[in-house]
Amino acid sequence: MVCTGCALLCDDIEENDCVKHACRIGRAHITSMQETSPMVAQEIVGMDAAINSAADILADAENPIFVGFGNCITETQETGITLAEKIGAGIQTFHTEIFDDILDGAVKTCTLPEVRDYADVVVFWGTDPMNTHPRLLSKYAYYPRGEKRQRGWEEDRTAITIDIRESYTASICRDTHMIPPHGHADFMSALMDALRNKVPKTAYDKKRILKLAGVLKKAEFGVIFAGADLIRSVPRDMLIRLMEQLNSVSDFRILPLVPGYNLRSIATQLHGRLDRGDGGDGSGSSVDLQDSDCILCLGFDLMNSLPADRINGKTIVIDPNETLQSRYADVVIPCAAGGVDCAGTAVRMDGINVELPQSRESERISDQEIMRRLLEVV
Amino acid sequence: MGKSMKMDLGFDEFLAAPEYAIIVVTYPDIFQTEAKLLHGKFSEEYQDLSAVIVLDSEDLEKIGVKYGDLVKISSEHGSVVATVKESEKEHPGIGYMPEGAWSNVLGLGPVSAKVSKSGQSVPAIDELRMSYSN
Ligand code: SF4
């Protein structure tokens, strides 16, 4: 089976009596048996009643907005976009702008097997994959032997972390740069100076930054894993300039490590559209969400992900699990978890399409089916 | 449902508890994610791994608390009570909280906050709405 616990979409998972090869998150995701019931106004109702009630709210809404989309199968996203178009709803995703830059070719990227086979310098910037994408280091980025990296992490790979805290990932990297809170942009600017052979004007240890620039310049195949914390902390064009700078003296790619197993898919589907928002730092979303009279949360726990005082209007929750938002929602519609209770497709973080077989018997209906029924009745 | 933790802290002592300025940085925690998936967001397990703040030992002394005590953390955005975890590393002036509903009350991190010993209890996840300033 394929695990949809994170955007690595590990396809080597075996599930018989027990789950084999999955990480701690994957195992919990696959075996999770949380049950929720359809609800209207916090009262348990039948599925049809919940869907009809959601349809009524959507039909009456003047300024509806759909949020999330990162934790559902591609087919649900497609139907969700069609529904949004039909009722004139905005779509709010999070941390997707970097995928736009990748899709535009503004920054160079690569696939995960290429990282495994060729990468000699990997930088984890503003991210702690050991806690978010737990098998990244063992499957692709650091430990494994690859076609050109037969000696793996021991000799062939250099791993570097740049972060505002000493994360678990940092503790296993040879070179770690701890920067102060809000320090990403300053550090990046100093690094760009160093890459241009200029002594950086910075409060950071200049020698260490120059040494880091030296390591990056010598990379044969460098990869920056950019975390949500980095993406929301630096101006978008700054990251593009860093990549240009790196590629003028070396050879570097970028891969985003952001929450949601299928974010790259929704980013691709919405690419180039002007009627969508990206609340990468939450700020982009505040006006829209505050002004909206109806928020549909699709696989996204708004109140657990953003400060809750930004949320007004009626809310509809479509999610496999009980969320904090569902405790306050006007309508709750439980759905099947993609790749567990229902089949579908998803796009891995590096752009590879992955088929997701259903891994267990389930009565739950998929979020695509829910979207399709909403589309019919609205 | 979330667990409420009470501690004995006299009112005078509570009033006298010094406030100490820190910056709160949030972080992802694999054990917290696991607890969320296995037990749900309203479970004791999830609360115990979410409503925590990791503080430097120097800061613990200044605030007058130890591992397991409760502290109130307040920012412009709101305030929340969390359990203290002592850090194995040195990071004076910076407190680390797991990402999620409790740290969200303070605003999107990193945020400037004041921390002091607390006589209140850790709010359950569905009580957090009342923790926002406005
Ligand atoms: S790394 Fe991600 S996809 Fe792979 S098993 Fe863990 S949670 Fe699942």
Side-chain angles (χ1 to χ4, degrees):
Chain A
M1 69 171 290
V2 176
C3 174
T4 49
C6 77
L8 287 187
L9 298 176
C10 294
D11 60 0
D12 57 350
I13 312 296
E14 288 172 23
E15 198 201 8
N16 297 313
D17 294 340
C18 62
V19 178
K20 282 192 191 150
H21 308 311
C23 69
R24 189 174 280 274
I25 293 177
R27 201 170 46 244
H29 171 69
I30 292 162
T31 57
S32 171
M33 297 296 280
Q34 291 181 43
E35 289 287 338
T36 57
S37 306
M39 285 197 284
V40 172
Q42 296 295 305
E43 299 286 334
I44 294 178
V45 296
M47 199 59 161
D48 290 344
I51 291 176
N52 288 335
S53 179
D56 289 344
I57 293 173
L58 288 171
D60 288 345
E62 284 183 7
N63 190 15
I65 188 155
F66 294 1
V67 295
F69 283 77
N71 278 310
C72 52
I73 54 175
T74 301
E75 294 79 357
T76 307
Q77 296 171 345
E78 287 164 0
T79 317
I81 292 172
T82 312
L83 178 62
E85 281 169 349
K86 186 172 178 186
I87 64 165
I91 293 181
Q92 178 86 58
T93 54
F94 296 86
H95 311 300
T96 42
E97 280 184 343
I98 187 156
F99 290 110
D100 286 333
D101 294 334
I102 287 173
L103 294 163
D104 286 337
V107 290
K108 204 157 123 180
T109 191
C110 62
T111 65
L112 288 167
E114 282 173 334
V115 176
R116 180 195 58 218
D117 283 341
Y118 308 119
D120 57 341
V121 177
V122 285
V123 182
F124 302 104
W125 197 330
T127 178
D128 181 12
M130 281 175 69
N131 278 287
T132 57
H133 298 71
R135 296 180 76 205
L136 176 70
L137 277 76
S138 60
K139 277 191 84 177
Y140 302 108
Y142 192 38
Y143 296 112
R145 278 80 183 92
E147 197 178 307
K148 277 197 145 188
R149 303 289 163 222
Q150 181 49 36
R151 285 165 295 181
W153 68 281
E154 296 97 323
E155 291 178 46
D156 277 350
R157 286 190 224 273
T158 303
I160 298 161
T161 49
I162 303 168
D163 211 342
I164 58 174
R165 63 183 283 270
E166 204 177 327
S167 64
Y168 285 98
T169 306
S171 64
I172 54 119
C173 289
R174 288 197 199 133
D175 194 9
T176 69
H177 295 263
M178 265 282 285
I179 58 177
H182 306 293
H184 289 295
D186 281 352
F187 189 90
M188 193 174 280
S189 153
L191 180 60
M192 286 200 274
D193 281 346
L195 288 167
R196 281 194 295 263
N197 298 322
K198 273 172 60 185
V199 177
K201 283 195 200 86
T202 175
Y204 297 113
D205 183 339
K206 294 182 181 56
K207 268 195 193 151
R208 281 200 75 202
I209 291 203
L210 286 164
K211 197 171 157 213
L212 171 65
V215 173
L216 302 184
K217 278 183 192 174
K218 279 197 212 122
E220 282 175 20
F221 190 109
V223 182
I224 293 189
F225 286 99
D229 191 39
L230 171 68
I231 295 165
R232 71 176 177 218
S233 306
V234 299
R236 191 170 165 184
D237 64 327
M238 191 174 194
L239 200 50
I240 296 174
R241 275 189 283 121
L242 171 75
M243 294 307 290
E244 282 168 359
Q245 186 101 50
L246 277 168
N247 281 310
S248 67
V249 289
S250 184
D251 193 4
F252 262 83
R253 286 111 184 121
I254 199 164
L255 278 169
L257 286 180
V258 284
Y261 76 83
N262 204 15
L263 209 56
R264 177 142 182 172
S265 164
I266 187 66
T268 308
Q269 292 184 61
L270 297 175
H271 182 57
R273 291 170 62 133
L274 299 173
D275 58 341
R276 44 71 73 106
D278 183 288
D281 62 354
S283 60
S285 66
S286 58
V287 174
D288 293 338
L289 292 183
Q290 272 176 342
D291 290 351
S292 174
D293 56 348
C294 168
I295 303 172
L296 185 147
C297 303
L298 185 58
F300 183 74
D301 190 355
L302 196 54
M303 287 177 77
N304 201 50
S305 309
L306 290 178
D309 57 343
R310 293 183 170 179
I311 301 160
N312 295 309
K314 294 197 165 178
T315 51
I316 299 164
V317 169
I318 302 176
D319 204 290
N321 297 318
E322 188 181 21
T323 67
L324 181 53
Q325 187 69 51
S326 62
R327 285 278 167 111
Y328 301 96
D330 295 276
V331 180
V332 178
I333 310 176
C335 65
V340 182
D341 307 307
C342 71
T345 53
V347 181
R348 204 170 64 188
M349 56 178 273
D350 57 350
I352 304 297
N353 281 307
V354 179
E355 290 288 330
L356 309 174
Q358 182 175 346
S359 69
R360 71 176 173 214
E361 292 286 309
S362 175
E363 301 277 293
R364 292 177 172 196
I365 62 170
S366 74
D367 37 11
Q368 185 201 8
E369 175 62 14
I370 294 164
M371 283 298 188
R372 202 189 54 71
R373 285 174 61 184
L374 284 172
L375 195 56
E376 262 173 25
V377 288
V378 168
Chain B
M1 284 298 292
K3 185 174 73 170
S4 281
M5 284 181 272
K6 300 262 183 211
M7 64 176 290
D8 285 331
L9 186 66
F11 191 64
D12 291 344
E13 194 188 342
F14 172 61
L15 281 183
E19 279 195 334
Y20 184 68
I22 59 164
I23 293 177
V24 176
V25 167
T26 58
Y27 66 95
D29 174 23
I30 191 170
F31 296 99
Q32 182 210 23
T33 308
E34 182 189 36
K36 174 180 76 185
L37 292 164
L38 287 180
H39 308 291
K41 283 184 182 145
F42 299 89
S43 66
E44 204 174 290
E45 289 87 347
Y46 183 64
Q47 175 171 317
D48 288 350
L49 290 167
S50 303
V52 293
I53 181 160
V54 181
L55 290 168
D56 179 89
S57 54
E58 241 179 62
D59 291 345
L60 289 187
E61 239 171 74
K62 283 182 190 153
I63 303 160
V65 289
K66 53 187 187 323
Y67 169 73
D69 284 353
L70 299 179
V71 287
K72 181 177 171 191
I73 313 133
S74 307
S75 73
E76 270 186 3
H77 212 267
S79 59
V80 70
V81 174
T83 308
V84 171
K85 258 174 101 176
E86 191 175 347
S87 182
E88 291 158 13
K89 300 184 179 130
E90 285 179 19
H91 46 85
I94 299 177
Y96 297 118
M97 287 185 81
E99 291 165 356
W102 282 266
S103 54
N104 269 344
V105 169
L106 303 171
L108 285 163
V111 285
S112 299
K114 295 262 169 60
V115 57
S116 59
K117 195 168 182 170
S118 174
Q120 295 163 306
S121 53
V122 172
I125 191 167
D126 48 4
E127 292 165 358
L128 288 170
R129 255 194 158 179
M130 275 95 76
S131 306
Y132 288 88
S133 311
N134 39 42

